[in-house]
Amino acid sequence: MANLLHVKNLSQHVYVHKGWLSRQRFAAIDDISFELNMGESLAIIGESGSGKSSLAKVLAGINKPSNGDIFVNGEALKFGDYTRRCRLIRMIFQDPNSSLNPRSNIGRILSAPLILNTALSQQEQQQKVIATLKLVGLLEEHAEFFPSMLSSGQKQRIAVARALILSPKIIVIDESIAALDVSVRAQIINLLLELQQRFAISYIFVSNDLGLVRHFSDKVLVMQQGKAVEFKHTEEFFTQPEHELSQRLINAYQNAFRK
């Protein structure tokens, strides 16, 4: 597999107010490095407040890193270069109910990235929207629907379509699968795997569901207090966890699985 993503010494420092006049700096993510190959999936796991979502948002270009570099295909990504980054890395947010504009129909929602980041004509945009809807298992007619007219599973498919429409190399998924019921979640996971096989997309996903991690990921990055404390291939992570947090998470997963 070809190396696609190289994250080097990535940090994000944030400030928290302490009292009226003082504020304290701490690292939401602290000196994180890893690599991901084309067509691979990376799971980011850890306890609440460990920095998982912070890392996801920095990778997607939503938040600015304080230090470090992100390379895709050997080229550094600069914060604020949204047109270039959107063609390489896209994000699926936690809740489609809040990330899909209720006042816009699906066609306009999916056209927005094309208007902002491509030179496609209006007719070409419409063709791309229809083709992408079909890719995620929806119909051409869904372009006229509003988010309130869709089921939770259909909304999640629209979120996938919006991330997919610019043909990115990497899609970041921030716990967006966790809230779905079991049957819908299985459908979305199968859809993501089909898209990965077809287009060699790499996924980076935040999750606390180790069953999903084991099924869906090739590599696992464990975070604690902003730091990456373990980074391994998935099967090695589950069979030979080294860090105390990894062992604790796996034990909790195995105990729940036995019940």
Side-chain angles (χ1 to χ4, degrees):
M1 288 187 183
N3 183 259
L4 174 65
L5 175 69
H6 181 197
V7 175
K8 185 177 180 182
N9 306 122
L10 198 64
S11 298
Q12 182 200 15
H13 299 135
V14 297
Y15 291 87
V16 176
H17 286 281
K18 297 285 185 179
W20 286 99
L21 299 174
S22 65
R23 58 182 191 161
Q24 180 179 351
R25 189 181 82 161
F26 79 97
I29 57 175
D30 188 7
D31 195 30
I32 289 180
S33 300
F34 65 88
E35 294 182 349
L36 188 65
N37 293 329
M38 185 181 298
E40 284 187 332
S41 296
L42 169 68
I44 303 173
I45 68 172
E47 297 172 314
S48 178
S50 62
K52 304 186 300 294
S53 290
S54 295
L55 176 57
K57 289 175 182 176
V58 169
L59 292 173
I62 296 169
N63 292 342
K64 184 177 181 180
S66 303
N67 298 297
D69 297 290
I70 302 170
F71 299 91
V72 177
N73 286 330
E75 295 186 28
L77 294 185
K78 294 182 180 179
F79 180 78
D81 186 356
Y82 298 113
T83 299
R84 183 164 175 268
R85 188 185 289 261
C86 282
R87 291 176 173 273
L88 296 171
I89 304 177
R90 298 282 285 165
M91 188 166 187
I92 301 173
F93 295 93
Q94 284 188 15
D95 182 11
N97 290 310
S98 59
S99 64
L100 299 177
N101 186 347
R103 296 183 180 87
S104 293
N105 67 27
I106 300 307
R108 287 197 292 271
I109 289 172
L110 295 183
S111 294
L114 299 174
I115 293 169
L116 293 171
N117 299 287
T118 75
L120 295 178
S121 68
Q122 187 172 3
Q123 183 180 3
E124 289 170 330
Q125 291 172 25
Q126 291 174 346
Q127 291 172 345
K128 183 70 171 176
V129 166
I130 292 167
T132 307
L133 283 170
K134 291 179 179 178
L135 269 179
V136 300
L138 295 173
L139 303 173
E140 179 179 342
E141 299 83 76
H142 284 112
E144 304 301 323
F145 284 39
F146 287 81
S148 62
M149 301 165 68
L150 301 175
S151 68
S152 60
Q154 289 173 327
K155 289 176 187 176
Q156 196 63 59
R157 288 176 187 270
I158 295 300
V160 173
R162 183 171 58 180
L164 187 68
I165 201 161
L166 292 174
S167 302
K169 302 293 184 183
I170 301 163
I171 294 179
V172 180
I173 307 169
D174 189 9
E175 294 192 287
S176 55
I177 304 172
L180 300 172
D181 66 52
V182 175
S183 61
V184 175
R185 181 167 51 185
Q187 293 172 17
I188 297 300
I189 291 167
N190 288 336
L191 170 64
L192 292 170
L193 290 172
E194 289 170 11
L195 293 170
Q196 184 176 55
Q197 188 171 35
R198 183 169 178 178
F199 300 110
I201 300 168
S202 295
Y203 294 121
I204 298 173
F205 70 103
V206 175
S207 181
N208 287 318
D209 183 344
L210 291 197
L212 173 62
V213 168
R214 191 162 202 171
H215 173 68
F216 191 73
S217 70
D218 300 291
K219 295 175 179 176
V220 180
L221 178 74
V222 185
M223 292 191 64
Q224 185 178 51
Q225 297 179 346
K227 293 181 177 292
V229 296
E230 191 153 5
F231 177 59
K232 284 185 173 180
H233 287 280
T234 301
E235 198 54 39
E236 185 183 3
F237 166 75
F238 278 95
T239 57
Q240 301 175 44
E242 295 182 30
H243 194 271
E244 178 271 336
L245 175 59
S246 301
Q247 295 169 359
R248 183 152 40 89
L249 291 172
I250 290 173
N251 286 337
Y253 161 68
Q254 290 175 338
N255 288 337
F257 188 73
R258 292 189 190 103
K259 290 180 180 179

